[in-house]
Amino acid sequence: MSDIFPKVEEGRPEGEQPLHYFYNREERIAHAPQNVKDYYAGKMQPVRGIKVLFQKQNRYILLALVLFVSFTWMYTGFNKNRNYAKFDDIAVEMQSFSYDGEVYTNIKIKPVKENSIIKPVKIDADVYFVNLDNQPVEKKEVSMLYSKGEEYLRTKYSDYDIIRIDAVVTVGDVSKELSTQVSR
């Protein structure tokens, strides 16, 4: 079998021989730092699992993790843009956007689990359109009889100065408030 690529000698200064690399594990480990020697000798056992976070050198990582989780928890608790709610077996999500001087609002209703059986229930939504002064300028009521699948409650309002949509969604006897910013 012939070589596809012929062996070409690389350029080097005259009088020098080509370099040869030899791998000798014992010689390499003999010149290594002590922790590498201990690792190859089997004296060092790596710390595994959750214990890694409680070692001295990882305390800053643990602190950063705790701060991140607490910040995320507080942000979700104090966030005014709550556009999702769950009623027993029904999930409700609100979205709004502006297009051509109109503000469109969609309230998506779907089951929490895909194959869950839901009794027909009346869903009412009082939708408030909030302007730049944080004052509701218009209220619209939409409702439907929901029984299965993914359904939408939709409404629109003709005003470009609307910045937020608030809604009170009532499923059966339970009411929850939703709020979302208007996407431009």
Side-chain angles (χ1 to χ4, degrees):
M1 180 176 189
S2 65
D3 289 335
I4 296 175
F5 300 104
K7 292 187 179 185
V8 176
E9 189 98 11
E10 297 284 330
R12 63 178 182 276
E14 283 191 36
E16 288 189 13
Q17 295 295 322
L19 295 175
H20 294 283
Y21 295 97
F22 298 98
Y23 178 78
N24 186 343
R25 182 173 190 242
E26 289 76 24
E27 186 177 326
R28 182 175 56 84
I29 293 175
H31 297 296
Q34 185 61 37
N35 62 351
V36 174
K37 291 178 186 177
D38 291 345
Y39 179 75
Y40 279 104
K43 295 177 185 174
M44 289 179 55
Q45 293 298 322
V47 179
R48 299 188 189 277
I50 193 85
K51 296 179 200 173
V52 170
L53 292 176
F54 297 108
Q55 288 186 324
K56 184 179 178 183
Q57 62 266 29
N58 292 334
R59 64 180 166 234
Y60 293 115
I61 294 173
L62 179 63
L63 179 66
L65 183 65
V66 167
L67 288 175
F68 176 74
V69 168
S70 62
F71 175 76
T72 304
W73 180 68
M74 287 187 335
Y75 178 76
T76 56
F78 294 120
N79 189 5
K80 292 185 179 180
N81 297 331
R82 296 186 185 139
N83 65 339
Y84 179 81
K86 194 166 89 172
F87 301 88
D88 294 331
D89 295 335
I90 299 172
V92 178
E93 182 179 4
M94 184 170 68
Q95 299 170 343
S96 63
F97 62 94
S98 175
Y99 178 74
D100 198 25
E102 302 275 335
V103 176
Y104 296 90
T105 302
N106 296 324
I107 300 175
K108 180 167 66 170
I109 304 159
K110 64 179 185 176
V112 174
K113 297 177 184 173
E114 285 188 30
N115 297 331
S116 62
I117 298 171
I118 299 171
K119 297 177 188 173
V121 63
K122 185 174 184 196
I123 298 177
D124 296 316
D126 295 333
V127 181
Y128 299 93
F129 296 90
V130 181
N131 66 5
L132 294 168
D133 299 325
N134 286 327
Q135 299 297 319
V137 293
E138 180 73 23
K139 174 186 173 187
K140 291 197 176 183
E141 297 175 3
V142 289
S143 64
M144 70 178 300
L145 185 63
Y146 177 75
S147 60
K148 64 179 179 177
E150 188 173 294
E151 297 285 335
Y152 289 91
L153 287 172
R154 293 187 170 113
T155 185
K156 71 177 182 173
Y157 183 67
S158 299
D159 188 358
Y160 191 74
D161 291 334
I162 302 298
I163 59 166
R164 190 178 78 230
I165 307 294
D166 294 336
V168 177
V169 178
T170 305
V171 176
D173 297 332
V174 180
S175 295
K176 293 194 180 179
E177 294 181 10
L178 302 176
S179 179
T180 185
Q181 298 290 331
V182 176
S183 300
R184 302 269 177 215

Coordinates of all heavy atoms in Angstrom, one line a residue, residues 36-76:
V36 N 1.0 15.8 42.2 CA 0.8 14.9 41.0 C 1.4 13.5 41.3 O 0.7 12.5 41.0 CB 1.6 15.5 39.8 CG1 1.5 14.6 38.6 CG2 0.9 16.9 39.4
K37 N 2.5 13.5 42.0 CA 3.0 12.2 42.5 C 2.1 11.4 43.4 O 1.8 10.2 43.2 CB 4.4 12.4 43.2 CG 5.5 12.8 42.3 CD 6.7 13.0 43.1 CE 7.8 13.7 42.3 NZ 9.1 13.9 43.1
D38 N 1.5 12.2 44.3 CA 0.5 11.6 45.2 C -0.7 11.1 44.5 O -1.3 10.0 44.8 CB 0.1 12.6 46.3 CG 1.2 12.9 47.3 OD1 2.2 12.1 47.3 OD2 1.1 13.9 48.0
Y39 N -1.2 11.8 43.5 CA -2.4 11.4 42.7 C -2.1 10.1 42.0 O -2.9 9.2 42.0 CB -2.8 12.5 41.8 CG -4.0 12.2 40.9 CD1 -5.2 12.2 41.5 CD2 -3.8 11.8 39.6 CE1 -6.3 11.9 40.7 CE2 -4.9 11.5 38.8 CZ -6.2 11.5 39.4 OH -7.3 11.2 38.6
Y40 N -0.9 10.0 41.3 CA -0.6 8.8 40.5 C -0.4 7.7 41.5 O -0.6 6.5 41.1 CB 0.5 9.1 39.6 CG 0.1 9.8 38.3 CD1 0.4 11.1 38.1 CD2 -0.6 9.1 37.3 CE1 0.0 11.7 36.9 CE2 -1.0 9.7 36.2 CZ -0.7 11.0 36.0 OH -1.1 11.6 34.8
A41 N 0.1 7.9 42.7 CA 0.3 6.8 43.6 C -1.0 6.4 44.3 O -1.0 5.4 45.0 CB 1.3 7.3 44.7
G42 N -2.1 7.1 44.1 CA -3.4 6.7 44.6 C -3.6 7.2 46.0 O -4.5 6.8 46.7
K43 N -2.8 8.1 46.5 CA -2.9 8.7 47.9 C -4.0 9.7 47.9 O -4.6 10.0 49.0 CB -1.6 9.3 48.4 CG -0.5 8.2 48.5 CD 0.8 8.9 48.9 CE 1.9 7.9 49.0 NZ 3.2 8.6 49.2
M44 N -4.3 10.4 46.8 CA -5.3 11.5 46.8 C -6.6 10.9 46.3 O -6.6 10.4 45.2 CB -4.8 12.6 45.9 CG -3.7 13.4 46.5 SD -3.2 14.8 45.4 CE -4.7 15.6 45.1
Q45 N -7.6 11.1 47.1 CA -9.0 10.7 46.6 C -9.8 12.0 46.4 O -9.9 12.8 47.3 CB -9.7 9.8 47.6 CG -9.0 8.4 47.8 CD -9.0 7.6 46.5 OE1 -10.0 7.7 45.8 NE2 -7.9 6.9 46.2
P46 N -10.3 12.2 45.2 CA -11.0 13.4 44.9 C -12.3 13.4 45.8 O -13.0 12.4 46.0 CB -11.4 13.3 43.5 CG -11.2 11.9 43.1 CD -10.2 11.3 44.0
V47 N -12.7 14.6 46.2 CA -13.9 14.8 47.0 C -15.1 14.9 45.9 O -15.0 15.6 45.0 CB -13.9 16.1 47.8 CG1 -15.1 16.3 48.5 CG2 -12.7 16.1 48.7
R48 N -16.1 14.1 46.2 CA -17.2 14.0 45.2 C -18.5 14.4 45.9 O -18.6 14.4 47.1 CB -17.3 12.6 44.7 CG -16.1 12.1 44.0 CD -16.3 10.8 43.3 NE -15.1 10.3 42.7 CZ -14.6 10.6 41.6 NH1 -15.2 11.5 40.8 NH2 -13.5 10.0 41.1
G49 N -19.5 14.8 45.1 CA -20.8 15.1 45.5 C -20.9 16.5 46.1 O -20.2 17.4 45.8
I50 N -21.9 16.6 47.1 CA -22.2 17.9 47.7 C -21.0 18.4 48.6 O -20.9 19.6 48.9 CB -23.5 17.9 48.4 CG1 -24.0 19.3 48.8 CG2 -23.4 17.1 49.7 CD1 -24.8 19.9 47.7
K51 N -20.2 17.5 49.0 CA -19.0 17.8 49.9 C -18.1 18.8 49.2 O -17.4 19.5 49.9 CB -18.3 16.6 50.3 CG -19.0 15.6 51.1 CD -18.1 14.4 51.4 CE -18.9 13.2 51.8 NZ -18.1 12.0 51.9
V52 N -18.1 18.9 47.9 CA -17.2 19.8 47.2 C -17.5 21.2 47.6 O -16.6 22.0 47.7 CB -17.4 19.6 45.7 CG1 -16.7 20.6 44.9 CG2 -16.9 18.2 45.3
L53 N -18.8 21.6 47.7 CA -19.1 23.0 48.1 C -18.7 23.4 49.4 O -18.5 24.6 49.7 CB -20.7 23.1 47.9 CG -21.2 23.0 46.5 CD1 -22.7 23.1 46.6 CD2 -20.7 24.1 45.6
F54 N -18.5 22.4 50.4 CA -18.2 22.8 51.7 C -16.7 22.8 52.1 O -16.3 22.9 53.2 CB -19.0 21.9 52.7 CG -20.4 22.0 52.6 CD1 -21.2 21.0 52.0 CD2 -21.1 23.2 53.0 CE1 -22.6 21.2 51.9 CE2 -22.4 23.3 52.9 CZ -23.2 22.3 52.3
Q55 N -15.9 22.6 51.0 CA -14.4 22.7 51.3 C -14.0 24.2 51.4 O -14.7 25.1 50.9 CB -13.7 22.0 50.1 CG -13.8 20.5 50.1 CD -12.9 19.9 49.1 OE1 -12.8 20.5 48.0 NE2 -12.4 18.8 49.4
K56 N -12.9 24.4 52.0 CA -12.4 25.7 52.2 C -12.2 26.5 50.9 O -12.6 27.7 50.9 CB -11.1 25.7 53.0 CG -10.6 27.0 53.4 CD -9.3 26.9 54.2 CE -8.7 28.2 54.5 NZ -7.4 28.1 55.2
Q57 N -11.7 25.9 49.9 CA -11.4 26.7 48.7 C -12.6 27.0 47.9 O -12.6 27.8 47.0 CB -10.4 25.9 47.8 CG -10.8 24.6 47.4 CD -10.4 23.5 48.3 OE1 -10.2 23.7 49.5 NE2 -10.2 22.3 47.7
N58 N -13.8 26.3 48.2 CA -15.0 26.5 47.4 C -16.0 27.4 48.2 O -17.2 27.5 47.8 CB -15.6 25.2 47.1 CG -14.8 24.4 46.1 OD1 -14.0 25.1 45.3 ND2 -14.9 23.1 46.1
R59 N -15.6 28.0 49.3 CA -16.6 28.8 50.0 C -17.2 30.0 49.3 O -18.3 30.4 49.4 CB -16.0 29.2 51.4 CG -14.9 30.2 51.3 CD -14.3 30.6 52.6 NE -13.1 31.2 52.5 CZ -12.0 30.8 53.1 NH1 -12.0 29.9 53.9 NH2 -10.8 31.5 52.9
Y60 N -16.4 30.6 48.4 CA -16.9 31.7 47.6 C -17.9 31.2 46.6 O -18.9 31.9 46.3 CB -15.7 32.4 46.9 CG -14.8 33.1 47.9 CD1 -13.5 32.7 48.0 CD2 -15.3 34.2 48.7 CE1 -12.7 33.4 48.9 CE2 -14.5 34.8 49.6 CZ -13.2 34.4 49.7 OH -12.4 35.0 50.6
I61 N -17.7 30.0 46.0 CA -18.7 29.5 45.1 C -20.0 29.2 45.8 O -21.1 29.5 45.3 CB -18.1 28.2 44.4 CG1 -16.9 28.6 43.5 CG2 -19.2 27.5 43.6 CD1 -16.2 27.4 43.0
L62 N -19.9 28.7 47.0 CA -21.1 28.4 47.8 C -21.8 29.7 48.2 O -23.0 29.8 48.0 CB -20.7 27.6 49.1 CG -21.9 27.3 50.0 CD1 -22.9 26.4 49.3 CD2 -21.4 26.7 51.3
L63 N -21.1 30.7 48.6 CA -21.7 32.0 48.9 C -22.3 32.6 47.6 O -23.5 33.1 47.7 CB -20.6 33.0 49.4 CG -21.1 34.4 49.7 CD1 -22.1 34.3 50.9 CD2 -19.9 35.3 50.1
A64 N -21.7 32.5 46.5 CA -22.3 33.1 45.2 C -23.5 32.3 44.9 O -24.5 32.9 44.4 CB -21.3 33.0 44.1
L65 N -23.5 31.0 45.1 CA -24.7 30.2 44.8 C -25.9 30.5 45.7 O -27.0 30.7 45.2 CB -24.4 28.7 44.9 CG -25.5 27.7 44.6 CD1 -25.8 27.8 43.1 CD2 -25.0 26.3 44.9
V66 N -25.6 30.7 47.0 CA -26.7 31.1 47.9 C -27.2 32.5 47.6 O -28.4 32.7 47.6 CB -26.1 31.1 49.4 CG1 -27.1 31.7 50.3 CG2 -25.9 29.6 49.8
L67 N -26.3 33.4 47.3 CA -26.8 34.8 46.9 C -27.6 34.8 45.6 O -28.6 35.4 45.5 CB -25.6 35.7 46.7 CG -24.9 36.1 48.0 CD1 -23.7 37.0 47.7 CD2 -25.9 36.9 48.9
F68 N -27.2 34.0 44.6 CA -27.9 33.9 43.4 C -29.3 33.3 43.6 O -30.3 33.8 43.1 CB -27.2 33.1 42.3 CG -27.9 32.9 41.1 CD1 -28.0 33.9 40.1 CD2 -28.5 31.7 40.8 CE1 -28.7 33.7 39.0 CE2 -29.2 31.5 39.6 CZ -29.3 32.5 38.7
V69 N -29.4 32.2 44.3 CA -30.7 31.6 44.6 C -31.6 32.5 45.4 O -32.8 32.7 45.1 CB -30.5 30.2 45.3 CG1 -31.9 29.7 45.8 CG2 -29.9 29.3 44.3
S70 N -31.1 33.2 46.4 CA -31.9 34.1 47.2 C -32.4 35.3 46.4 O -33.5 35.8 46.5 CB -31.2 34.6 48.4 OG -30.0 35.3 48.1
F71 N -31.5 35.9 45.5 CA -31.9 37.0 44.7 C -33.0 36.6 43.7 O -33.9 37.3 43.5 CB -30.7 37.5 43.9 CG -31.0 38.6 42.9 CD1 -31.3 39.8 43.3 CD2 -31.1 38.3 41.5 CE1 -31.6 40.8 42.4 CE2 -31.4 39.2 40.6 CZ -31.7 40.5 41.0
T72 N -32.8 35.4 43.1 CA -33.9 34.9 42.2 C -35.2 34.7 42.9 O -36.2 35.1 42.4 CB -33.4 33.6 41.5 OG1 -32.1 33.8 40.9 CG2 -34.4 33.1 40.5
W73 N -35.1 34.2 44.1 CA -36.4 33.9 44.8 C -37.0 35.3 45.2 O -38.3 35.4 45.1 CB -36.0 33.1 46.1 CG -37.2 32.8 46.9 CD1 -38.2 32.0 46.7 CD2 -37.5 33.4 48.2 NE1 -39.1 32.0 47.7 CE2 -38.7 32.9 48.7 CE3 -36.8 34.3 49.0 CZ2 -39.2 33.2 49.9 CZ3 -37.3 34.6 50.3 CH2 -38.5 34.1 50.7
M74 N -36.2 36.3 45.6 CA -36.8 37.6 46.0 C -37.3 38.3 44.7 O -38.4 38.9 44.7 CB -35.8 38.4 46.7 CG -35.5 38.0 48.1 SD -34.4 39.1 49.1 CE -33.4 39.9 47.9
Y75 N -36.6 38.2 43.6 CA -37.1 38.8 42.4 C -38.4 38.3 41.9 O -39.3 39.0 41.5 CB -36.0 38.6 41.3 CG -36.4 39.2 39.9 CD1 -36.4 40.6 39.7 CD2 -36.9 38.4 38.9 CE1 -36.8 41.2 38.6 CE2 -37.3 39.0 37.7 CZ -37.2 40.4 37.5 OH -37.6 40.9 36.4
T76 N -38.6 37.0 42.0 CA -39.9 36.4 41.5 C -41.0 36.8 42.5 O -42.1 36.9 42.1 CB -39.8 34.9 41.4 OG1 -39.4 34.3 42.6 CG2 -38.9 34.5 40.3

